[in-house]
Amino acid sequence: MLRGCSRLRDISQIRRREREPVAVVGMACRFPGGADDPEAFWHLLRSGHDAIGEIPADRWSNADYFDPDPDAAGRIAVRHGAFLSGIDRFDAAFFGISPREAVTMDPQQRILLEVAWLALEDAGIATERLAGSATGVFVGICNSDYVHRVLRRGPQSIDAYMASGSAHSVAAGRISYCLGLQGPALSIDTACSSSLVALHQACRSLR
């Protein structure tokens, strides 16, 4: 009888954990239109500002790729898009990354490190307090455009950092390594639902 009561108590605790609310204590973001923090993003939404703009000259040349014919091979039929600013501004030394390695890193990895750090600052959590903890990192990520750009630079651009700089698995692992975290580190690619699935998995992991 006592053993049965103990099992019922365990089941009850599990069910309570499954229903326990999850608190968001810190946020950070990078969006087109200069929305580099949650306040700026909220202002962009409330003002109805359109973050779509002309393709920046430092990304690619419109003249080289634009064609009004959407069926033209190897061309694009648009001149505008939503672009993040300052993707080349990365303080590699701050994260213990050498300049040479930073060159080959996918900008997605750089931005993730920056945004993760800012989210902890927003939460008022000192990064050194997390070292050695079971804190997990769940990242929704897809597309590997940058590695193709690196390869187009020629064989001289292929180095020891290219694999780690472009691998989705490393995107979550870098954050864990940088902060000394010992919980799960998962990079999740389910296309358009990647961020939602990552959030779902993070909540399940917490519970």
Side-chain angles (χ1 to χ4, degrees):
M1 182 64 183
L2 289 176
R3 183 179 299 172
C5 291
S6 175
R7 287 178 179 172
L8 287 172
R9 189 163 54 249
D10 290 344
I11 292 171
S12 178
Q13 289 175 352
I14 291 170
R15 287 177 176 169
R16 274 201 305 273
R17 281 199 300 269
E18 289 176 346
R19 293 191 298 268
E20 185 177 356
V22 173
V24 177
V25 297
M27 296 176 64
C29 64
R30 291 278 297 278
F31 286 105
D36 292 339
D37 57 60
E39 291 77 16
F41 183 53
W42 178 238
H43 176 72
L44 184 147
L45 294 175
R46 290 199 63 180
S47 64
H49 178 71
D50 187 356
I52 301 298
E54 289 192 10
I55 297 170
D58 61 348
R59 297 299 179 88
W60 65 80
S61 169
N62 265 328
D64 291 342
Y65 293 101
F66 177 76
D67 192 307
D69 179 5
D71 296 323
R75 296 290 185 266
I76 55 176
V78 295
R79 294 181 180 272
H80 299 77
F83 295 89
L84 295 180
S85 60
I87 60 170
D88 57 334
R89 300 172 192 165
F90 176 63
D91 189 351
F94 180 82
F95 294 102
I97 297 170
S98 70
R100 182 68 194 87
E101 183 175 5
V103 169
T104 318
M105 279 176 62
D106 190 318
Q108 293 181 105
Q109 292 191 17
R110 304 177 209 161
I111 292 169
L112 278 168
L113 283 171
E114 293 170 338
V115 172
W117 191 277
L118 290 171
L120 291 174
E121 286 187 344
D122 186 60
I125 298 174
T127 54
E128 57 269 20
R129 283 172 46 199
L130 294 177
S133 70
T135 302
V137 178
F138 295 80
V139 171
I141 186 170
C142 71
N143 296 331
S144 303
D145 298 339
Y146 190 70
V147 69
H148 297 296
R149 293 179 64 87
V150 171
L151 290 172
R152 282 202 298 269
R153 295 172 189 164
Q156 69 277 7
S157 298
I158 300 174
D159 58 21
Y161 301 115
M162 194 178 77
S164 59
S166 59
H168 286 173
S169 56
V170 176
R174 278 192 191 277
I175 299 172
S176 292
Y177 180 79
C178 176
L179 299 175
L181 311 179
Q182 296 185 5
L186 299 180
S187 295
I188 297 170
D189 181 359
T190 56
C192 297
S193 62
S194 297
S195 58
L196 183 61
V197 175
L199 182 62
H200 173 68
Q201 293 296 336
C203 290
R204 290 192 63 184
S205 180
L206 281 172
R207 286 170 172 154

